[in-house]
Amino acid sequence: MKRVIALLMENQPGALSRVVGLFSQRGYNIESLIVAPTEDPSLSRLTMTTEGDTQVVEQITKQLNKLIDVVKVLDLSFEEYVGRELLLIKMEFSEEAEAEVSNLGGQVLFKDDNLLNVEFVGASEELDEIVTSLAKLNPLEVVRTGLSGISSTTKTLTI
Amino acid sequence: MSKEKLSGAEALMRSLQDEGIELVFGYPGGASLHIYDALFNQQAVQHVLVRHEQGAVHAADGYARSTGKAGVVFVTSGPGATNAITGLATAHMDSTPVIVISGQVKSHLIGTDSFQETDMIGVSRPIVKHSFLAQRAEDIPMIVKKAFHIATTGRPGPVVIDIPKDVTDPDYKFDYSYPKDIDIRSYKPVEEGHSGQIRKAAKLLLKSERPVIYSGGGVIQNDASEELTSLVKYLDFPVTNTLMGLGAYPGTDKNFLGMLGMHGTYEANMAMHNCDLILAVGARFDDRITNDPAQFALGAKKIHIDIDPASLSKIIKVDVPIVGSAKTCLDQLLNELKKNESKLDKNKIEPWRKQIKEWRKEHGLNHRMLKDASNSKKILPQHVIQSLYKETKGDAYVTSDVGQHQMFAAQYYHFDKPRRWINSGGLGTMGFGLPAAMGVQLAFPNSTVACVTGEGSIQMCIQELSTCLQYDLPIKIINLNNSSLGMVKQWQDMQYGGRLSQSTYEDSLPDFVKLTESFGHVGIKVEKPEDLESAMKKCFELKDKLVFLDIVIDEDEHVYPMLEAGMAMDSMWLDKKTKTWK
Ligand SMILES: Cc1ncc(C[n+]2csc(CCOP(=O)(O)OP(=O)(O)O)c2C)c(N)n1
Ligand SMILES: [Mg+2]
């Protein structure tokens, strides 16, 4: 089962490598990982997706909590949550391509006679579909940020 | 209070003093020269110069395990730091509070592959509880304070402080003050157990007909032996200790089943397999205990007390998990039981006690060995440990290395007190025994310290004999010399048709007596069973001397009982021919 874990950690050198290291060290998989400082500059927020049954993910959560740099962990898979990621695509410019992008709800970020850069924001499954439907236009490069999430209950991941 | 101007190196020394540290173990080098100069200019902290950094970390670890206080180590960058790694991993696996302070190359050289540069924070990351890179001299007091707090509280563990050389620069001084309190927002170990869970646990204990209390190293680390003993005595329940937990409950008490697990006693393993309730305290259900987890104590409800939430239901799903310190939770549990005194029926488990007695009579330790001993022309390792026990009246600090000798020591030396049995259980580090004994002897100069070792293990840190002379450490080394890597040989005998691949030395062993003498100590060789007692006596009569007792033992002896891999805990080899399963 796919799991989404969000956590707050000290915004300090070494903190991220401890979190990432924990995964390889204990044989867990990271599917995607996204991290950035928060509005409180002493904290970073990290969201990762991983695969595993309940017992494995419970163990991952506990091990993450054990890291001294990790301040708080929330397993979003146990919550109602919204997850979004950003998809950036570069393709050769054509009117047909531009029309298709706007048809699929994308935004054009850059265009000239040769190239088109576009963005899509959405849930991972939506972006999967967009990538599939744009495949026929032979995109030159496809980039995804990985999932970021926030719970849609009153439970917050804040300190 | 007027503030003092100190350099980073001076601030480090002063912080250690303010933390109450009197002893550090270490080895100097380029990146730690400023630190060593600051050490030179003060008296309060004594430094023990080892002969190899691995020895320093094991010595600090032995000090920590025997005292409960953090052990401190100084190493230099690069090779000094990497030599400390085995020691850190050893401390990490057994959750002991060791603080390694490593010199690092100057800040501006970090990342340039400069001379003696190793990414110590990166290399040590998976084997420490936490680590710090000191980036400014001003940060040192706070880092030291945090390091001690983290290393010694909660589930203890090793901490690394890596300090670039420029951060200890004697010419840069700042206002020193040592923080009184600290608050780490992300680190708040829970001491007290959840009262609802405690009530559930008490209920299960009172209902049980076939209970076992299984306690591990956590009880020793947390100084909870008294609480454990009170609880066991109150309930009059059988109790077993892990290899790491020996001494937490008096080894000579009638309720004690002996050690459990891979080389545990028949009665302890049978009791675990057949019980209806396990109360696990400060233990972690590791693979040397459970054997096949899928077949582990299937008829038993399980209560588990541990300070580390990640230990609960990690391997074995438990019915009543309790997060908290062993000491506090055991106390809470005893109080809860006392509130329900009327429900305690000690007779209820009488049939269970009888059953355990029968198991012990059938196949308890010594059974076959003592029967056959009279015919043996060779010294049996079990007899050596019994002789050591007798000579030291069961009251020595015993460190050990790793192998058969370690298991014999664990089985036959009955520890009545905690912190007396010092061994590398989790990592199984050969070479641990002698340096660990140095740490213990330095902590307790007037106590008897014995190191039970094998001719294989002792050679892994033999250089520390030189340190022992420098600091007058009268350790008694009991070398169970079977001319082989005995534990490896045992597995090869049992599982590889006796093909002894690289487990013997073709007559290349040193003369340990001469070797010891060349280090300035006393060596005694013992070959005949009839000489054992007198040699042991002589060894301990030489109170002020380090004595190396090189005892030639029966090289064919195996350690039994031994769990059969992939099976339940009741599947044991009892001797070379007898097994408990079909
Ligand atoms: C550093 C290290 N290397 C290898 C091993 C694997 N090992 C476990 S026991 C053992 C043999 C130990 O021989 P010795 O010290 O003579 O003890 P004995 O088993 O003969 O009593 C070995 C090689 C280990 N535990 N530690
Ligand atoms: Mg040997």
Side-chain angles (χ1 to χ4, degrees):
Chain A
M1 186 189 159
K2 187 162 152 182
R3 296 299 188 119
V4 184
I5 298 171
L7 62 83
L8 291 174
M9 60 186 190
E10 300 290 349
N11 184 11
Q12 266 174 14
L16 180 60
S17 74
R18 276 185 243 273
V19 170
V20 175
L22 177 90
F23 274 73
S24 60
Q25 185 188 329
R26 296 203 176 256
Y28 311 139
N29 274 323
I30 300 179
E31 214 167 81
S32 75
L33 179 133
I34 180 165
V35 60
T38 65
E39 69 286 1
D40 172 351
S42 72
L43 287 172
S44 291
R45 180 167 172 141
L46 178 151
T47 311
M48 65 175 91
T49 55
T50 179
E51 276 290 324
D53 60 27
T54 307
Q55 210 188 333
V56 171
V57 177
E58 193 184 314
Q59 184 53 214
I60 293 178
T61 317
K62 286 175 172 177
Q63 294 293 351
L64 285 169
N65 260 313
K66 224 168 110 172
L67 294 175
I68 310 282
D69 285 334
V70 170
V71 181
K72 207 168 169 187
V73 182
L74 183 62
D75 185 344
L76 286 174
S77 346
F78 283 132
E79 306 287 317
E80 293 289 316
Y81 76 98
V82 285
R84 285 290 177 271
E85 57 176 313
L86 176 67
L87 166 69
L88 297 174
I89 299 183
K90 173 159 70 183
M91 43 197 163
E92 273 169 22
F93 177 79
S94 69
E95 308 233 311
E96 182 209 350
E98 195 173 5
E100 180 69 14
V101 165
S102 102
N103 192 28
L104 290 168
Q107 294 277 337
V108 174
L109 300 176
F110 171 85
K111 75 174 167 179
D112 63 14
D113 294 349
N114 302 319
L115 288 177
L116 195 57
N117 279 5
V118 300
E119 75 169 353
F120 293 86
V121 176
S124 302
E125 304 72 38
E126 288 166 15
L127 298 186
D128 290 345
E129 281 171 23
I130 288 167
V131 170
T132 314
S133 27
L134 289 180
K136 56 176 185 279
L137 298 171
N138 294 320
L140 299 168
E141 199 174 340
V142 177
V143 192
R144 292 173 72 156
T145 55
L147 192 77
S148 184
I150 192 166
S151 91
S152 40
T153 67
T154 49
K155 201 160 182 181
T156 57
L157 179 62
T158 47
I159 55 165
Chain B
M1 221 169 64
S2 72
K3 287 194 173 162
E4 240 180 308
K5 293 259 182 212
L6 297 183
S7 72
E10 289 164 344
L12 173 65
M13 291 316 303
R14 183 59 83 72
S15 300
L16 292 176
Q17 291 173 15
D18 285 345
E19 199 55 50
I21 296 305
E22 291 166 1
L23 201 60
V24 303
F25 302 84
Y27 210 85
S32 59
L33 278 171
H34 295 329
I35 296 174
Y36 272 86
D37 198 48
L39 169 84
F40 188 85
N41 289 322
Q42 56 86 57
Q43 272 77 47
V45 179
Q46 190 207 341
H47 180 276
V48 174
L49 177 68
V50 294
R51 299 298 182 266
H52 185 296
E53 290 87 350
Q54 182 183 347
V57 188
H58 291 331
D61 197 345
Y63 177 88
R65 291 178 199 229
S66 58
T67 61
K69 293 190 272 187
V72 182
V73 178
F74 286 173
V75 296
T76 189
S77 67
T82 54
N83 272 351
I85 290 297
T86 300
L88 277 168
T90 304
H92 186 247
M93 286 297 275
D94 290 341
S95 308
T96 61
V98 169
I99 294 176
V100 172
I101 298 169
S102 49
Q104 181 55 277
V105 300
K106 292 179 184 166
S107 306
H108 73 276
L109 291 174
I110 290 180
T112 65
D113 302 319
S114 58
F115 178 63
Q116 296 198 324
E117 179 187 358
T118 297
D119 174 11
M120 178 57 163
I121 298 290
V123 169
S124 65
R125 200 206 67 237
I127 49 168
V128 295
K129 185 170 173 185
H130 196 55
S131 50
F132 296 92
L133 174 66
Q135 287 170 309
R136 303 179 323 145
E138 290 84 345
D139 296 341
I140 287 177
M142 184 51 97
I143 287 177
V144 171
K145 180 81 186 173
K146 282 186 180 170
F148 277 90
H149 179 63
I150 290 169
T152 54
T153 58
R155 180 176 181 172
V159 174
V160 163
I161 306 176
D162 201 34
I163 313 184
K165 190 171 181 182
D166 52 308
V167 174
T168 55
D169 183 349
D171 293 331
Y172 176 78
K173 307 226 176 194
F174 67 99
D175 287 336
Y176 173 84
S177 72
Y178 196 63
K180 271 210 184 60
D181 305 300
I182 37 157
D183 176 54
I184 304 176
R185 61 179 167 185
S186 55
Y187 177 71
K188 310 247 186 263
V190 175
E191 293 288 318
E192 204 167 306
H194 187 279
S195 55
Q197 295 294 84
I198 298 278
R199 273 199 299 279
K200 270 194 218 162
K203 241 188 218 148
L204 286 178
L205 285 165
L206 291 168
K207 230 175 63 191
S208 164
E209 291 172 9
R210 301 189 312 279
V212 180
I213 296 175
Y214 143 55
S215 93
V219 172
I220 293 185
Q221 294 272 1
N222 195 231
D223 291 315
S225 296
E226 235 172 81
E227 287 75 9
L228 175 74
T229 308
S230 307
L231 183 88
V232 173
K233 297 233 155 119
Y234 179 78
L235 290 165
D236 204 8
F237 278 4
V239 56
T240 174
N241 289 162
T242 66
L243 178 67
M244 292 311 298
L246 292 174
Y249 189 84
T252 51
D253 186 83
K254 68 172 181 25
N255 285 319
F256 189 59
L257 299 174
M259 179 172 78
L260 78 163
M262 176 64 91
H263 293 297
T265 64
Y266 178 71
E267 58 269 35
N269 287 343
M270 290 301 279
M272 287 293 281
H273 184 72
N274 292 288
C275 66
D276 69 358
L277 178 70
I278 292 173
L279 167 60
V281 194
R284 56 190 178 92
F285 295 92
D286 82 290
D287 52 285
R288 282 292 185 267
I289 300 295
T290 60
N291 223 9
D292 178 13
Q295 302 180 55
F296 174 74
L298 296 177
K301 290 252 187 246
K302 288 141 198 134
I303 307 165
H304 190 184
I305 299 173
D306 207 286
I307 188 94
D308 177 8
S311 280
L312 302 170
S313 294
K314 181 172 75 172
I315 291 157
I316 301 290
K317 182 118 189 68
V318 296
D319 302 279
V320 184
I322 304 176
V323 181
S325 77
K327 200 176 179 73
T328 309
C329 292
L330 285 170
D331 218 31
Q332 286 175 278
L333 193 50
L334 184 57
N335 283 337
E336 182 62 29
L337 288 166
K338 283 182 176 164
K339 273 196 244 161
N340 295 282
E341 181 130 36
S342 59
K343 292 182 202 140
L344 177 63
D345 172 11
K346 288 195 181 181
N347 291 326
K348 193 165 53 190
I349 76 156
E350 204 40 51
W352 178 235
R353 287 194 194 96
K354 245 191 219 130
Q355 170 67 70
I356 290 172
K357 232 177 248 164
E358 261 162 50
W359 282 327
R360 180 173 295 159
K361 216 167 86 198
E362 251 179 305
H363 294 302
L365 284 180
N366 297 338
H367 193 65
R368 195 162 301 262
M369 182 200 89
L370 290 181
K371 205 172 66 195
D372 298 345
S374 46
N375 318 331
S376 176
K377 298 213 168 40
K378 292 179 177 164
I379 299 175
L380 290 178
Q382 299 91 330
H383 275 171
V384 177
I385 305 298
Q386 286 176 326
S387 163
L388 171 68
Y389 181 78
K390 217 171 108 198
E391 192 53 43
T392 56
K393 304 191 177 57
D395 203 29
Y397 287 87
V398 179
T399 73
S400 100
D401 270 301
V402 174
Q404 292 180 316
H405 60 272
Q406 174 191 28
M407 293 302 134
F408 289 130
Q411 291 177 330
Y412 289 90
Y413 200 101
H414 308 293
F415 295 91
D416 279 336
K417 294 181 195 155
R419 300 195 182 279
R420 292 302 175 102
W421 166 239
I422 313 275
N423 83 129
S424 164
L427 196 68
T429 310
M430 290 171 68
F432 176 79
L434 175 58
M438 301 190 320
V440 178
Q441 189 77 78
L442 282 154
F444 300 99
N446 300 317
S447 298
T448 304
V449 181
C451 165
V452 175
T453 185
E455 80 302 317
S457 295
I458 194 68
Q459 292 188 78
M460 285 216 178
C461 275
I462 193 83
Q463 74 285 347
E464 298 307 328
L465 283 175
S466 175
T467 313
C468 293
L469 187 73
Q470 185 173 355
Y471 297 93
D472 285 325
L473 305 178
I475 295 161
K476 310 302 180 216
I477 297 173
I478 312 298
N479 187 36
L480 302 190
N481 190 340
N482 53 10
S483 295
S484 59
L485 301 173
M487 191 54 97
V488 172
K489 174 174 173 290
Q490 172 165 350
W491 284 61
Q492 290 171 336
D493 284 340
M494 292 175 76
Q495 291 170 21
Y496 296 88
R499 294 184 296 280
L500 302 186
S501 178
Q502 305 299 316
S503 54
T504 57
Y505 325 90
E506 299 174 10
D507 289 331
S508 63
L509 281 176
D511 178 334
F512 284 109
V513 171
K514 279 195 192 146
L515 179 143
T516 311
E517 285 171 356
S518 81
F519 274 102
H521 306 296
V522 178
I524 303 173
K525 185 162 183 161
V526 193
E527 288 172 287
K528 299 196 203 100
E530 59 269 28
D531 296 338
L532 178 62
E533 295 260 301
S534 59
M536 193 65 80
K537 210 177 175 62
K538 188 165 165 211
C539 169
F540 285 92
E541 275 168 4
L542 292 168
K543 276 212 167 347
D544 302 331
K545 288 275 181 196
L546 183 149
V547 183
F548 190 118
L549 213 52
D550 184 26
I551 307 173
V552 180
I553 59 163
D554 188 341
E555 67 273 16
D556 288 328
E557 200 56 35
H558 284 178
V559 184
Y560 295 110
M562 180 168 169
L563 290 175
E564 175 70 3
M567 298 185 76
M569 279 188 90
D570 64 344
S571 304
M572 286 168 266
W573 286 96
L574 298 171
D575 58 49
K576 283 183 187 170
K577 292 181 215 97
T578 321
K579 48 185 188 162
T580 60
W581 76 99
K582 295 207 179 64

